[in-house]
Amino acid sequence: MARGARERRDAILALAEGSGLASVEELSRAFGVTASTIRRDLAQLEAAGRLARTYGGAIPVQHEAPLGQRNGEATDAKRTIARWAAEQVRPGETVLLDSGSTTTALARELAHRSDLTVVTTSITVLHELAHADLRVECLGGALRPLSQGFVGPLTEAALERRTFDRAFLGADGVTAEHGICEADLEQTRLKELMARRADRVYVLVHADKLGRRPFRAQAPLGSDWTLVTDPAADAATTAHFHARGLDLVVAS
């Protein structure tokens, strides 16, 4: 493959990953080549398993990383977010922690407290709080090994029996236009149900996840939710969320 074609295909992947959809017409104009050239590029990328074709364009093929791998990524950013989130929790409250690496970091921050009830769907949160001097409850269900969290009808039924002062949600990606992005619809549905049962809802995502839509399962952001990120978030990205009237906090 010619160097120019290789670079163009790498750039197509980057554009598709950022926007979630790159149309043939847009790519043709952006790279100054014909639509048939772009279609050949897309066909090559699809054959290599790097893109999935859609009507008029393509989306990047992403594979969900196991939680153990994600726990080792962006640790400082997650710790910063978790500390801010822990400061919001008041004595005597009942809080709900979603599964995920940042909510696990939050559990670590709450583990020294003795005046809370923490409810979770996450095995890793349970592990962090196993010896804590606070009340811990688990919403059981079907285990997703990749996320180490429970989902499904049993989880949802247990959730309906509870209300919460605050819910802290994780996400694989968040965009101002489409909201929370997850690997499957069971996860996005569960997050929506969690939010309905809480007085205050926070979405905890480090800067690398802002403006990204790696998967196709979506849940809209509530207008009264708070999106919490870290100082590495750039102004252009955060401006998209502010422009839609969404509450975005940069933890420090």
Side-chain angles (χ1 to χ4, degrees):
M1 187 197 309
R3 180 174 175 81
R6 182 184 300 113
E7 291 177 343
R8 184 177 64 249
R9 291 172 190 175
D10 287 342
I12 287 171
L13 276 174
L15 283 172
E17 187 176 77
S19 65
L21 176 67
S23 74
V24 170
E25 292 75 15
E26 289 171 342
L27 293 171
S28 176
R29 289 194 297 270
F31 294 103
V33 296
T34 64
S36 60
T37 296
I38 293 297
R39 291 190 183 95
R40 284 195 296 273
D41 287 338
L42 296 176
Q44 288 277 354
L45 290 167
E46 184 178 33
R50 302 176 73 191
L51 282 182
R53 298 292 295 275
T54 64
Y55 179 76
I59 58 173
V61 172
Q62 298 281 353
H63 301 285
E64 184 181 4
L67 186 62
Q69 176 183 324
R70 287 180 276 142
N71 279 335
E73 299 171 349
T75 53
D76 289 343
K78 292 172 185 176
R79 188 180 304 115
T80 297
I81 294 167
R83 287 175 176 169
W84 183 93
E87 290 172 357
Q88 311 313 303
V89 179
R90 302 290 178 258
E93 289 190 337
T94 297
V95 298
L96 174 62
L97 271 58
D98 192 9
S99 60
S101 54
T102 309
T103 52
T104 299
L106 172 55
R108 199 170 299 128
E109 295 294 324
L110 296 175
H112 70 280
R113 302 277 293 268
S114 61
D115 52 359
L116 303 172
T117 297
V118 178
V119 185
T120 188
T121 58
S122 167
I123 288 179
T124 56
V125 167
L126 292 174
H127 177 75
E128 292 293 337
L129 300 179
H131 302 290
D133 185 24
L134 46 75
R135 182 176 177 84
V136 180
E137 299 177 4
C138 178
L139 302 176
L143 178 65
R144 291 190 78 252
L146 282 173
S147 63
Q148 289 292 285
F150 295 105
V151 296
L154 292 177
T155 314
E156 294 169 12
L159 186 60
E160 290 299 315
R161 300 278 181 163
R162 267 311 210 153
T163 58
F164 310 94
D165 295 290
R166 303 174 198 273
F168 295 93
L169 309 180
D172 288 325
V174 182
T175 66
E177 297 79 11
H178 302 283
I180 291 175
C181 169
E182 288 292 332
D184 64 50
L185 291 172
E186 271 194 319
Q187 290 175 291
T188 51
R189 171 180 166 79
L190 184 59
K191 290 177 195 296
E192 288 183 282
L193 295 176
M194 286 177 168
R196 293 176 192 173
R197 308 300 293 175
D199 295 334
R200 294 292 305 274
V201 180
Y202 305 83
V203 182
L204 310 181
V205 286
H206 63 82
D208 289 347
K209 293 184 175 183
L210 289 179
R212 292 173 60 84
R213 190 162 56 132
F215 304 111
R216 306 306 289 174
Q218 306 287 152
L221 291 169
S223 60
D224 57 346
W225 297 9
T226 299
L227 185 63
V228 188
T229 191
D230 65 274
D234 65 81
T237 301
T238 58
H240 289 298
F241 293 92
H242 290 307
R244 288 183 170 263
L246 295 168
D247 182 22
L248 186 146
V249 170
V250 178
S252 61

